[in-house]
């Protein structure tokens, strides 16, 4: 479906006088992509967004039963991933389960609105700060970073960059890395930082715990010294080591969930 027809179809569903449920936050009007793969029924529109061989589905629907039926029948040759972001983790669960999906993961957003507290004398920074450890990634690190991340994360849960996107992220200063004595990459942090927010995107540590803490503290100090305070991350609710790691920086659940569902190909 071409972009303009897609936008018209979305607007039609939104203005029928009935509640239109969606899991889509994407702006099609601002997208450079002109053609989209879709499945359409009388009350539902399902759109595929391919992300590095993971087929994510966005939907708009004015009828729960029609949505479930459309989810069950659409794109039978593909494994599909759907994400629901909400303050209630079971939002639209029945529609997804009735549509042949199963729940893969529950992510909670954790945040800290006053991260400068980590610089107090009794904080974690006093114990782990070591400026000899963190190294800003350069383009020659990109191949190793790519292999490292793709070997650790489930791409249905984590939104991983392709090689071009990864190189752009490296050039933007998002990656900080550590190589051990054999020059093997053993720890990394990907953080997307703006003036008012610090997003902890990806954390991997295959080394001593002091390594990743030194990396984190180094990047956070830069952010704090520029006036930043708000830090957030999405953490799978069953990932106990990650939950403990982020708790050391005062990050707590702020009430938002992202639940990942999967439907196997037929």
């Amino acid at each position: 479906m071409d972009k303009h027809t897609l936008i018209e179809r979305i607007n039609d569903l939104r203005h029928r006088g009935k509640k239109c449920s969606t899991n889509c936050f994407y702006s099609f009007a601002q997208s450079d992509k002109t053609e989209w793969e879709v499945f359409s029924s009388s009350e539902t529109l399902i759109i595929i967004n391919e992300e590095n061989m993971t087929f994510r589905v966005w939907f708009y629907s004015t009828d729960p039963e029609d949505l479930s039926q459309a989810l069950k029948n659409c794109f039978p040759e593909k494994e599909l991933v759907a994400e629901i972001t909400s303050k209630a983790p079971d939002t639209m669960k029945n529609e997804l389960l009735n549509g042949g999906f199963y729940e893969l993961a529950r992510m909670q957003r954790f945040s800290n609105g006053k991260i400068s507290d980590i610089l107090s004398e009794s904080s974690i920074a006093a114990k782990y700060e070591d400026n000899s450890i963190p190294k800003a990634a350069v383009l020659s690190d990109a191949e190793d970073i790519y292999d490292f991340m793709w070997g650790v994360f489930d791409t249905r849960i984590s939104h991983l960059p392709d090689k071009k996107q990864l190189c752009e992220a490296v050039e933007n200063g998002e990656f900080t890395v550590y190589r051990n004595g054999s020059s093997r990459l053993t720890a990394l942090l990907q953080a997307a930082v703006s003036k008012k927010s610090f997003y902890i995107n990806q954390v991997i540590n295959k080394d001593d715990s002091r390594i990743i803490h030194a990396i984190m503290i180094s990047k956070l100090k830069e952010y704090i010294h520029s006036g930043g305070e708000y830090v957030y991350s999405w953490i799978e609710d069953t990932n106990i080591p990650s939950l403990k790691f982020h708790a050391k920086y005062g990050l707590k659940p702020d009430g938002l969930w992202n639940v990942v569902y999967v439907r196997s190909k037929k």
Side-chain angles (χ1 to χ4, degrees):
M1 182 178 288
D2 69 83
K3 181 170 76 172
H4 298 295
T5 304
L6 177 64
I7 293 171
E8 289 177 357
R9 176 77 169 117
I10 293 170
N11 288 334
D12 170 60
L13 288 167
R14 281 176 163 169
H15 297 101
R16 289 189 177 184
K18 297 187 282 186
K19 179 183 177 181
C20 182
S21 298
T22 183
N23 67 338
C24 184
F25 301 95
Y26 185 81
S27 174
F28 295 98
Q30 296 179 12
S31 174
D32 292 330
K33 188 172 179 179
T34 58
E35 292 288 335
W36 293 86
E37 189 173 4
V38 306
F39 180 94
S40 185
S41 65
S42 60
E43 302 292 333
T44 299
L45 176 67
I46 298 175
I47 308 150
I48 277 194
N49 179 42
E50 183 180 349
E51 181 185 274
N52 300 323
M53 298 306 295
T54 296
F55 297 99
R56 303 188 185 278
V57 291
W58 298 325
F59 57 77
Y60 293 83
S61 182
T62 58
D63 182 272
E65 291 184 6
D66 188 75
L67 173 60
S68 293
Q69 196 63 33
L71 288 169
K72 186 180 295 183
N73 294 332
C74 69
F75 313 111
E77 75 284 1
K78 293 179 171 68
E79 179 185 66
L80 302 179
V81 178
E83 295 178 80
I84 306 295
T85 302
S86 174
K87 290 185 177 180
D90 288 336
T91 298
M92 304 202 74
K93 180 176 181 177
N94 289 337
E95 289 89 332
L96 271 294
L97 296 183
N98 291 336
F101 284 69
Y102 64 89
E103 185 179 308
L104 178 64
R106 290 190 176 205
M107 314 287 289
Q108 268 187 293
R109 192 174 68 182
F110 283 66
S111 61
N112 181 351
K114 201 172 186 303
I115 196 63
S116 58
D117 287 347
I118 72 160
L119 299 185
S120 66
E121 290 185 2
S122 61
S123 76
I124 189 172
K127 180 178 180 180
Y128 288 108
E129 186 173 6
D130 184 344
N131 292 329
S132 69
I133 290 174
K135 303 294 180 186
V138 294
L139 283 177
S140 59
D141 294 314
E143 193 71 31
D144 286 347
I145 292 172
Y146 181 87
D147 292 341
F148 199 25
M149 291 202 304
W150 279 74
V152 169
F153 296 116
D154 185 334
T155 57
R156 297 171 300 177
I157 301 171
S158 298
H159 293 256
L160 298 184
D162 60 27
K163 290 184 178 180
K164 180 182 177 182
Q165 293 167 333
L166 192 148
C167 287
E168 291 172 352
V170 168
E171 291 183 318
N172 288 336
E174 291 186 17
F175 284 94
T176 308
V177 298
Y178 176 78
R179 292 182 183 273
N180 64 11
S182 64
S183 296
R184 185 169 62 89
L185 192 65
T186 58
L188 71 76
L189 165 68
Q190 182 186 9
V193 184
S194 67
K195 186 175 181 179
K196 294 186 177 181
S197 70
F198 187 111
Y199 171 39
I200 303 169
N201 191 347
Q202 307 290 1
V203 178
I204 306 177
N205 188 53
K206 300 289 187 180
D207 214 306
D208 188 275
S209 62
R210 66 184 178 86
I211 301 297
I212 193 62
H213 284 302
I215 291 173
M216 182 69 76
I217 290 162
S218 173
K219 291 296 291 183
L220 287 174
K221 283 190 71 174
E222 290 178 15
Y223 175 60
I224 292 166
H225 290 156
S226 70
E229 286 285 4
Y230 177 71
V231 176
Y232 72 101
S233 183
W234 288 94
I235 308 169
E236 193 170 351
D237 65 349
T238 57
N239 190 340
I240 303 303
S242 184
L243 292 170
K244 290 180 177 179
F245 173 82
H246 288 82
K248 291 181 183 293
Y249 296 90
L251 273 73
K252 298 178 180 179
D254 63 14
L256 199 60
W257 292 82
N258 186 66
V259 185
V260 182
Y261 296 88
V262 175
R263 194 208 70 189
S264 301
K265 58 185 176 182
K266 305 296 176 66

